[in-house]
Structure formats: C-alpha cells, structure tokens
C-alpha cells in the first residue's frame, strides 16, 4: 500500500452508507460488501472529506481538533487515508481543485 503525498487531494466516495454512533461512525460499503466502524478521529477525517481536501490541510485540522502532534498526524492521517482509498471509500478526485480552493497553512 503506497501512501498518498501530503499535497494529494482526496474526497469521500458517494457509495458507502454512513451513520453516526456516539462519537464515532459506522459505514457499510455495499459495493465492497464490508462494514466499517470508525473511532472519533477517523470519523472526523471522514466528515471533512465531503469536499475535496489536501491531506496536509486534513492533518492541520486534526492537530487543531485532537490532542496530537503534527508529526503524529503527518504519519497517521496518510496511512488511514491510504486504507480508505484501498477500500474505495475515499478517492483521489479526477480533477484536482485549483490551489486557491485549498490551503496548506
């Protein structure tokens, strides 16, 4: 599994069915025939990907919301996003938004 770069844009796929459960989220991918349970941090990532976002900006937002270091976020967020891409839950958009639409800082 290759990790997406921090400047990669990602967006959630429309296919999974998701429901809030406590602080987390449960999802069902009918296409993949799989069920997923996301903790609070993973659910926060999923919620943010309703529109295309750079992974670096996603890391910044996770650092702001949760008690974690930027170094940990830079390692953990791309790993998690790569797993979501592998399961067809998140995708790299076919056309990348212009640089004015997203910010790294």
């Amino acid at each position: 599994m290759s990790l997406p770069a921090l400047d990669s844009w990602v967006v959630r796929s429309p296919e999974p069915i998701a429901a809030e459960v406590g602080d987390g989220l449960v999802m069902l991918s009918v296409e993949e025939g799989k069920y997923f349970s996301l903790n609070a941090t993973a659910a926060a990532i999923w919620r943010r990907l309703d529109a295309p976002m750079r992974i670096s900006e996603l890391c910044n937002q996770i650092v702001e919301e949760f008690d974690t270091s930027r170094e940990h976020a830079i390692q953990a967020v791309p790993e998690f996003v790569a797993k979501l891409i592998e399961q067809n839950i998140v995708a790299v958009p076919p056309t990348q938004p212009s640089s004015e639409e997203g910010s790294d800082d």
Side-chain angles (χ1 to χ4, degrees):
M1 162 177 64
S2 65
L3 297 181
L6 290 174
D7 64 347
S8 297
W9 289 86
V10 290
V11 66
R12 68 166 93 151
S13 301
E15 190 266 330
I17 300 165
E20 301 284 332
V21 177
D23 289 340
L25 192 90
V26 293
M27 278 192 274
L28 172 65
S29 173
V30 177
E31 191 174 287
E32 295 291 320
K34 294 182 179 176
Y35 163 84
F36 303 92
S37 177
L38 305 181
N39 67 21
T41 307
I45 291 170
W46 169 257
R47 286 184 206 101
R48 285 175 169 79
L49 294 178
D50 62 333
M53 178 179 279
R54 279 193 183 151
I55 292 178
S56 59
E57 179 59 24
L58 190 54
C59 290
N60 292 341
Q61 290 184 16
I62 293 302
V63 168
E64 287 177 21
E65 183 175 347
F66 296 92
D67 185 24
T68 189
S69 69
R70 176 147 175 81
E71 293 76 24
H72 178 72
I74 287 172
Q75 177 185 357
V77 171
E79 286 177 2
F80 177 67
V81 169
K83 291 177 184 176
L84 295 178
I85 290 170
E86 192 175 272
Q87 297 297 325
N88 297 318
I89 292 173
V90 167
V92 175
T95 57
Q96 302 296 298
S98 67
S99 59
E100 292 81 36
E101 291 182 42
S103 170
D104 283 331
D105 298 305

